[in-house]
Amino acid sequence: MKNKYSIFALIKNSLSYHENWQRAWRDPEPKSQYDAVIVGGGGHGLATAYYLAKEHNLKNIAVLEKGWIGGGNTGRNTTIIRSNYLWDASAGLYDHALKIWENLSQELNYNVMFSQRGVMNLAHNQHDVRELKRRTHANRLNGIDCEWLDVEQVKKFCPIINCSPNIRYPVMGSTLQRRAGTARHDAVAWGYARGADAMGVDIIQNCEVKEIRRKGDSVEGIETTKGFIKTQKIGVVAAGHSSLIANMAGLRLPLESKPLQALVSEPIKPIINTVVMSNAVHAYVSQSDKGELVIGAGTDSYISYTQKGTHEIIEGTLKAILELYPIFSRLRMLRQWGGVVDICPDASPLITKTSIKGLYFNCGWGTGGFKATPGSGHLFAHTIAKDEPHTLNAAFNINRFVSGDLVDEHGAAAVAH
Amino acid sequence: MFIIKCPYCGERDHSEFSYGGEAHLIRPKQPTELSDDQWAEYLFMRKNIKGLQYERWNHSHGCRRWFNAARDTSNDKIHYVYKIGEKPTK
């Protein structure tokens, strides 16, 4: 059993200069056979393994990660967590995740620094006002907290927003979800990794999948850079690289992988008390506990696996940021980076079985998967263990692209990239 | 950021261009004959290639003409461009 993290453990370890902390997870070599193999050691994949072990009593599980855990989009996003989605299916999915977030640090005995500082979505024109009011009502009907703020209230809640009517895209109001907020992204991956490892899950880093071996219509195992692993169940949580894994099994997915960028400023004293998103001018910003402004930019239009993105996207975002927050005009930006996001045509994810028995996909989270990490892992574990979806992810199956029953969150609650 | 060589105008910054997605997708000749599966395949399923991809671009802030490019999506290097109606050379 792992040492429990607590104030007493902290004091005890301080006596030995913090040199004797136990490793948070092992570094095992792969076994030749597992009951289930998760491909992708990001937050979603590690959460999947954690809930498979915890709630479905599967103990012989491996998580394969090409690089290091949490090094993909889990470590590259802007850490915004919210559940104010328009459609019923999305509301159910994302609020399920938000409810798990609310107790996650306690459950994992790992501080994920979940901070319910609220998320605002600004309206800049009459259409935005109508859409966001509609969404406020839709959220409330689904039992999700959401309020409409007029311009006065916006100014009061977040004083640094430029609410002048004379700017190019004036602020005309905002929604506010008070239960929403941010968390520490790395801690989520590490907390789930530690929790899964404690239940016997093998987390195998630097292990790339080369081939998915099939026997008729079922999976037989995985060929990896560390040898062949036999398994009956494979859960793929590979984000931007999902299509590549699907190709190995002869499947096609409705995904396009594009670069999405973010950047942080030099650290400053606390200045912004919440998360502010603006879909219309494409700027969103919050402040990390270190004091850096965390700014999310948009995707590039073309498919690319470069984890870079173009300068003009950043330029556009910073123009909008400066107009909304003139107070930031002399801040310097410290770092900029990109991640490869897999976008579905309806901007909703896939948590789904496939036509191949024992092969499951959890992908298509596009530009907003971090917020769903705990719920996504929880529901995907259910789907893998029971070989059928949970009611909350039934709508997010791949057959919706055949039936036409899409969950169209593009321009609704997803940021319109 | 990369440079794209428009076959009509020459080399320009990519910000002058609009991306048009995977090239050589052929619209079904007899739409009424198609099953839902085939429609899904045509409308939604994509190769999403990591490597050399054939794709369409429009020089939207230039000559406004469409053309194709063979670009490596793993490093954004454009190997060559070719006109609409032409086949890729490899």
Side-chain angles (χ1 to χ4, degrees):
Chain A
M1 187 56 202
K2 290 270 190 272
N3 288 343
K4 192 170 174 354
Y5 292 157
S6 67
I7 182 75
F8 305 109
L10 195 62
I11 294 166
K12 187 177 153 221
N13 279 281
S14 71
L15 299 174
S16 55
Y17 302 97
H18 297 292
E19 286 173 354
N20 297 319
W21 284 101
Q22 200 180 9
R23 285 188 70 136
W25 53 86
R26 296 163 296 130
D27 188 19
E29 285 302 309
K31 291 187 249 176
S32 59
Q33 187 270 332
Y34 286 98
D35 297 338
V37 173
I38 306 300
V39 178
H44 291 244
L46 292 163
T48 305
Y50 174 84
Y51 291 111
L52 272 174
K54 185 177 174 232
E55 297 195 356
H56 302 284
N57 214 23
L58 259 72
K59 301 295 178 198
N60 191 25
I61 304 168
V63 177
L64 308 183
E65 167 55 49
K66 183 171 69 169
W68 63 93
I69 60 167
N73 296 342
T74 297
R76 292 164 188 269
N77 64 84
T78 52
T79 78
I80 299 171
I81 295 162
R82 61 187 174 91
S83 64
N84 57 350
Y85 278 69
L86 178 65
W87 302 110
D88 294 351
S90 318
L93 177 67
Y94 291 102
D95 210 51
H96 178 61
L98 184 49
K99 283 175 187 146
I100 302 177
W101 276 114
E102 287 175 325
N103 196 39
L104 192 59
S105 292
Q106 296 301 324
E107 185 185 335
L108 294 177
N109 179 229
Y110 203 100
N111 187 4
V112 299
M113 296 167 73
F114 180 51
S115 158
Q116 291 177 296
R117 60 185 68 181
V119 168
M120 301 171 79
N121 283 84
L122 300 182
H124 296 277
N125 52 53
Q126 284 299 339
H127 178 74
D128 277 358
V129 171
R130 279 193 291 267
E131 277 299 312
L132 287 172
K133 281 185 175 173
R134 177 192 179 200
R135 211 208 303 172
T136 304
H137 295 312
N139 287 163
R140 286 178 166 184
L141 287 172
N142 277 316
I144 294 169
D145 71 304
C146 190
E147 308 163 33
W148 174 256
L149 306 182
D150 63 26
V151 183
E152 288 297 308
Q153 291 167 313
V154 167
K155 191 76 190 162
K156 203 167 163 217
F157 189 73
C158 186
I160 62 166
I161 297 177
N162 181 3
C163 289
S164 160
N166 298 323
I167 62 175
R168 178 69 183 84
Y169 298 103
V171 176
M172 298 177 75
S174 171
T175 61
L176 171 61
Q177 186 184 16
R178 289 183 195 267
R179 284 165 63 230
T182 59
R184 168 107 164 88
H185 48 8
D186 297 324
V188 180
W190 298 338
Y192 273 121
R194 177 169 168 269
D197 181 85
M199 290 184 286
V201 172
D202 283 352
I203 297 166
I204 300 155
Q205 303 183 74
N206 299 308
C207 179
E208 187 176 350
V209 171
K210 289 296 185 193
E211 189 190 332
I212 301 229
R213 224 184 268 172
R214 290 168 56 175
K215 192 177 191 179
D217 281 341
S218 308
V219 295
E220 196 177 30
I222 296 186
E223 198 67 62
T224 75
T225 48
K226 293 193 174 184
F228 179 73
I229 298 170
K230 198 173 163 206
T231 185
Q232 306 283 308
K233 286 175 186 280
I234 302 172
V236 182
V237 204
H241 284 69
S242 299
S243 299
L244 275 63
I245 310 273
N247 284 345
M248 292 177 192
L251 291 177
R252 298 233 290 168
L253 296 173
L255 298 176
E256 289 194 314
S257 295
K258 296 176 176 180
L260 176 65
Q261 297 178 85
L263 58 165
V264 295
S265 73
E266 58 190 327
I268 52 173
K269 286 185 177 178
I271 183 79
I272 181 162
N273 56 327
T274 185
V275 181
V276 189
M277 306 180 63
S278 168
N279 292 9
V281 299
H282 209 291
Y284 45 105
V285 62
S286 62
Q287 191 169 16
S288 76
D289 291 354
K290 277 190 288 185
E292 302 156 326
L293 294 182
V294 182
I295 296 169
T299 52
D300 280 287
S301 62
Y302 50 86
I303 291 175
S304 177
Y305 289 83
T306 54
Q307 292 188 325
K308 282 196 288 197
T310 58
H311 183 70
E312 67 187 36
I313 298 284
I314 294 183
E315 201 177 6
T317 290
L318 289 181
K319 276 180 188 163
I321 292 278
L322 286 185
E323 184 156 271
L324 280 176
Y325 313 92
I327 193 172
F328 295 156
S329 65
R330 282 178 294 164
L331 267 185
R332 283 164 295 189
M333 293 296 143
L334 271 195
R335 299 190 302 279
Q336 167 276 338
W337 65 92
V340 180
V341 298
D342 43 325
I343 302 176
C344 264
D346 59 356
S348 286
L350 288 162
I351 311 175
T352 184
K353 294 171 67 172
T354 64
S355 55
I356 299 166
K357 190 165 163 36
L359 184 62
Y360 309 86
F361 272 86
N362 181 353
C363 57
W365 291 94
T367 59
F370 176 72
K371 66 174 81 69
T373 306
S376 155
H378 186 250
L379 298 172
F380 195 42
H382 179 105
T383 307
I384 293 172
K386 311 270 189 214
D387 195 36
E388 63 183 22
H390 190 281
T391 45
L392 287 173
N393 69 302
F396 299 95
N397 66 74
I398 194 160
N399 290 329
R400 73 177 190 263
F401 295 98
V402 177
S403 68
D405 192 10
L406 304 179
V407 188
D408 190 6
E409 291 286 355
H410 255 311
V415 177
H417 287 288
Chain B
M1 188 166 287
F2 48 87
I3 303 288
I4 298 177
K5 188 178 177 186
C6 171
Y8 307 99
C9 311
E11 290 187 346
R12 302 290 177 89
D13 188 90
H14 95 276
S15 59
E16 289 188 15
F17 299 82
S18 303
Y19 178 66
E22 201 177 306
H24 310 298
L25 295 177
I26 298 163
R27 191 179 162 79
K29 294 227 162 42
Q30 288 179 299
T32 49
E33 305 289 303
L34 245 51
S35 70
D36 288 350
D37 279 316
Q38 289 167 315
W39 267 122
E41 190 67 21
Y42 169 71
L43 283 174
F44 297 123
M45 301 302 163
R46 292 290 176 264
K47 290 186 186 142
N48 202 17
I49 291 168
K50 184 177 186 177
L52 194 68
Q53 166 171 276
Y54 305 116
E55 59 191 21
R56 300 178 304 172
W57 287 87
N58 180 253
H59 194 182
S60 46
H61 296 286
C63 64
R64 302 181 66 187
R65 292 170 84 167
W66 285 93
F67 59 94
N68 297 314
R71 179 177 58 100
D72 189 333
T73 60
S74 65
N75 57 19
D76 288 346
K77 186 174 185 296
I78 294 185
H79 288 261
Y80 58 93
V81 296
Y82 55 103
K83 290 178 181 172
I84 291 290
E86 292 177 358
K87 293 242 170 354
T89 53
K90 60 172 178 181

